[in-house]
Amino acid sequence: DVEHVAVHGEGAEQRVAVVDGENDVFVFNVQSGHCQRPMSGPFNPCRPFDFSTSVCGIAFDCNGDLYVSDEGAHIIRVFSKSLIWRWDKFRDVHEGKREVSAAPQGIAFAPDGKLVVCDKGNQSIQIFGEDGK
């Protein structure tokens, strides 16, 4: 079962990301059919990232980085264009920085590059720049 879809790029570079009913994320190159999974990062680059909680949204930014909203972990996870885990966005509340929510759901990027988050926990839509504000 496919639950979420995101598309990035054109032609030979076009990619489609999907989330299945098991919270597994797959990214396909449309032209070649090659499939990749987001990886855990530099400390364990051969192990697929374990989304053991609830993936509720995916989106690509203009650079091709993949953003995954993980409601159960209360976080937005960011993967590089090569699908290596880079960081978790908006995980902690710091001075001058807002927390995403108790339950980030759907996500998308506005034309100006800002991240739009449907915040189920706060029953609101939040908009963030790259700096998290």
Side-chain angles (χ1 to χ4, degrees):
D1 297 340
V2 174
E3 295 192 0
H4 306 283
V5 177
V7 179
H8 179 265
E10 297 178 346
E13 297 297 315
Q14 188 172 45
R15 299 181 303 152
V16 175
V18 298
V19 179
D20 69 12
E22 301 293 319
N23 286 318
D24 289 323
V25 178
F26 301 92
V27 179
F28 297 90
N29 178 289
V30 172
Q31 188 171 12
S32 71
H34 179 75
C35 177
Q36 288 182 278
R37 295 195 53 203
M39 304 307 274
S40 294
F43 302 109
N44 198 352
C46 297
R47 193 184 107 218
F49 198 92
D50 180 18
F51 294 100
S52 58
T53 56
S54 182
V55 175
C56 292
I58 55 176
F60 288 105
D61 70 8
C62 64
N63 298 316
D65 290 347
L66 180 66
Y67 285 59
V68 179
S69 68
D70 190 335
E71 177 188 19
H74 314 286
I75 206 163
I76 307 280
R77 300 195 186 276
V78 182
F79 297 86
S80 68
K81 189 174 182 177
S82 59
L83 298 180
I84 303 297
W85 175 75
R86 294 176 71 185
W87 58 76
D88 295 333
K89 281 232 184 226
F90 317 115
R91 180 178 197 137
D92 299 313
V93 178
H94 298 289
E95 260 186 61
K97 204 175 193 185
R98 294 183 292 176
E99 179 179 19
V100 165
S101 77
Q105 296 277 304
I107 57 176
F109 281 91
D112 64 0
K114 292 184 178 173
L115 178 64
V116 180
V117 179
C118 177
D119 182 344
K120 181 180 174 184
N122 293 327
Q123 298 180 353
S124 65
I125 301 293
Q126 296 190 42
I127 300 173
F128 299 93
E130 283 191 32
D131 60 359
K133 296 180 182 179

